[in-house]
């Protein structure tokens, strides 16, 4: 995306890539040293990912576990900082392993610089990972400071 892409437009584009299951292009929207945080991450799940490579590793198998169909109710709020947005949305689809419905509500605080994600705090419901087929990642080294 061009460096002049607005944070709301970049975010909408990122959702389209997730729906298309184009994880490589979605990861390509990240700055090399961008960070993704999960303030409500349950034990065994990463609480912070440092850098594009860590985000890529985290998302690599996402489509094999969660088949997203839509993001209804998308609301993007601009803030007093032109580089930061607050996003409210739902992700709906199905869990690949079981075929069960997937319906998650998210709030994200996202910062974009030069047309790339530099910070992304993802507030999602940690109870949802207890559903069979929902867990798609854990950190192989739970002693790292980047995980709870």
């Amino acid at each position: 995306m061009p460096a002049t892409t607005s944070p709301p437009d970049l975010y909408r584009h990122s959702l389209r890539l997730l729906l298309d299951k184009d994880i490589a292009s979605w990861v390509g929207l990240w700055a090399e040293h961008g960070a993704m945080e999960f303030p409500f991450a349950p034990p065994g799940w990463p609480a912070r990912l440092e850098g594009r490579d860590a985000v890529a590793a985290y998302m690599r198998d996402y489509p094999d576990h969660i088949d997203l169909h839509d993001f209804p109710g998308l609301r993007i709020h601009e803030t007093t900082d032109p580089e930061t947005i607050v996003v409210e949305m739902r992700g709906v689809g199905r869990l690949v392993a079981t075929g069960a419905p997937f319906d998650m509500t998210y709030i994200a605080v996202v910062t974009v610089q030069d047309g790339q994600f530099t910070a992304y705090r993802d507030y999602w419901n940690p109870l949802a990972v207890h559903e069979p087929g929902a867990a798609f990642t854990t950190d192989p080294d739970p002693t790292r400071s980047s995980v709870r």
Side-chain angles (χ1 to χ4, degrees):
M1 299 291 303
T4 58
T5 301
S6 72
D9 288 344
L10 182 71
Y11 197 84
R12 285 185 193 94
H13 178 66
S14 77
L15 295 181
R16 173 78 315 204
L17 293 173
L18 288 176
L19 291 174
D20 291 344
K21 298 169 184 39
D22 187 350
I23 300 304
S25 294
W26 185 85
V27 169
L29 300 177
W30 281 81
E32 182 179 351
H33 300 291
M36 188 172 207
E37 296 178 74
F38 306 97
F40 300 139
W45 283 64
R48 182 174 173 87
L49 305 170
E50 293 279 349
R52 184 187 306 133
D53 291 343
V55 172
Y58 177 81
M59 291 295 292
R60 177 182 48 241
D61 296 328
Y62 189 90
D64 295 334
H65 299 275
I66 299 173
D67 179 20
L68 289 171
H69 298 161
D70 196 10
F71 292 102
L74 175 65
R75 295 178 61 196
I76 298 175
H77 307 279
E78 296 189 53
T79 69
T80 57
D81 177 350
E83 295 179 328
T84 300
I85 57 175
V86 176
V87 179
E88 297 177 85
M89 67 179 184
R90 285 176 46 225
V92 297
R94 69 177 181 85
L95 298 174
V96 173
T98 64
F102 176 81
D103 191 338
M104 176 77 73
T105 301
Y106 300 88
I107 293 178
V109 179
V110 181
T111 301
V112 173
Q113 294 174 339
D114 299 322
Q116 295 183 309
F117 295 124
T118 57
Y120 192 120
R121 280 192 318 272
D122 191 353
Y123 296 89
W124 56 277
N125 179 0
L127 298 176
V129 299
H130 297 295
E131 294 294 320
F136 68 93
T137 187
T138 57
D139 193 300
D141 182 359
T143 64
R144 288 199 302 218
S145 63
S146 65
V147 298
R148 282 187 193 166

